[in-house]
Amino acid sequence: MSPKKGGGLREHSTGGRRLLVGSLLSLGILGVPLLLLGTGASLTSGAPGAAGGGRVAAVASSRAQSGDIQELKLAFQLPPDTTTTAPPAPATTVPPTTDPPPTTTTTAASDSATGIATWYSEAPAGTCASPWLPKGVTLTVTDVSSGATITCLVADREADNPGRVVDLSPSGFEALAPLSQGVVEVTVSW
């Protein structure tokens, strides 16, 4: 290898090869479509109802008997131009009803979540903290194992700990389980 940067290859000119490659690409991009158009490409209409519906371009190439000339045929099938309008529907009138609709009593399903409840000493009695619910929401907290239930008002925000759904006041937690237990599995609904 030559001590010059890039070795001996840089000493040779590549201009001729670049010109050849550029000419071939230009010929391919511009010359082939012109050649195809000049060799008898024809535009014919396909039979209506042929498979494919809509616009179909079929390309068929065949060799001529005399040489290597290829013929390109494009067949376009256009959907028939049919414009129809439906007659307007007759106007119907609904007679007014004299009976009011029946009243139904349904209870809206409340949202709920199941997870772990803990307690913290700074919470005033009757309040709790939630990781995602806004302050002022009233929660119903039910111990999953015993079925004991309390209600509390979300008054604080707790850290988002995986699995924890509520932090209760000491008195609220004691209504569900002893404080020494520390955690209890609950379902909260709001």
Side-chain angles (χ1 to χ4, degrees):
M1 184 154 208
S2 171
K4 295 179 183 177
K5 187 172 184 176
L9 296 177
R10 289 205 182 246
E11 294 177 8
H12 298 289
S13 172
T14 59
R17 283 180 271 177
R18 288 183 183 166
L19 181 62
L20 177 65
V21 170
S23 298
L24 290 174
L25 286 175
S26 297
L27 179 64
I29 292 172
L30 297 174
V32 171
L34 292 175
L35 179 66
L36 291 175
L37 287 175
T39 60
S42 62
L43 181 64
T44 61
S45 174
R55 296 173 189 242
V56 177
V59 178
S61 63
S62 63
R63 293 196 177 254
Q65 297 288 336
S66 62
D68 291 338
I69 300 174
Q70 291 188 356
E71 180 177 328
L72 177 65
K73 293 184 179 179
L74 296 177
F76 288 97
Q77 177 185 357
L78 301 175
D81 187 20
T82 57
T83 307
T84 59
T85 57
T92 59
T93 58
V94 178
T97 59
T98 57
D99 297 331
T103 58
T104 57
T105 305
T106 58
T107 305
S110 64
D111 294 320
S112 65
T114 301
I116 297 191
T118 58
W119 63 275
Y120 70 112
S121 60
E122 294 86 28
T127 64
C128 60
S130 171
W132 67 86
L133 291 172
K135 293 178 182 179
V137 172
T138 302
L139 291 182
T140 302
V141 183
T142 306
D143 183 352
V144 172
S145 62
S146 69
T149 300
I150 64 161
T151 58
C152 60
L153 181 70
V154 176
D156 202 359
R157 177 77 55 219
E158 74 167 302
D160 189 15
N161 294 319
R164 190 179 307 171
V165 293
V166 67
D167 275 346
L168 300 170
S169 67
S171 61
F173 190 87
E174 274 187 319
L176 301 176
L179 288 179
S180 61
Q181 186 173 332
V183 297
V184 65
E185 187 175 1
V186 297
T187 299
V188 294
S189 57
W190 56 95

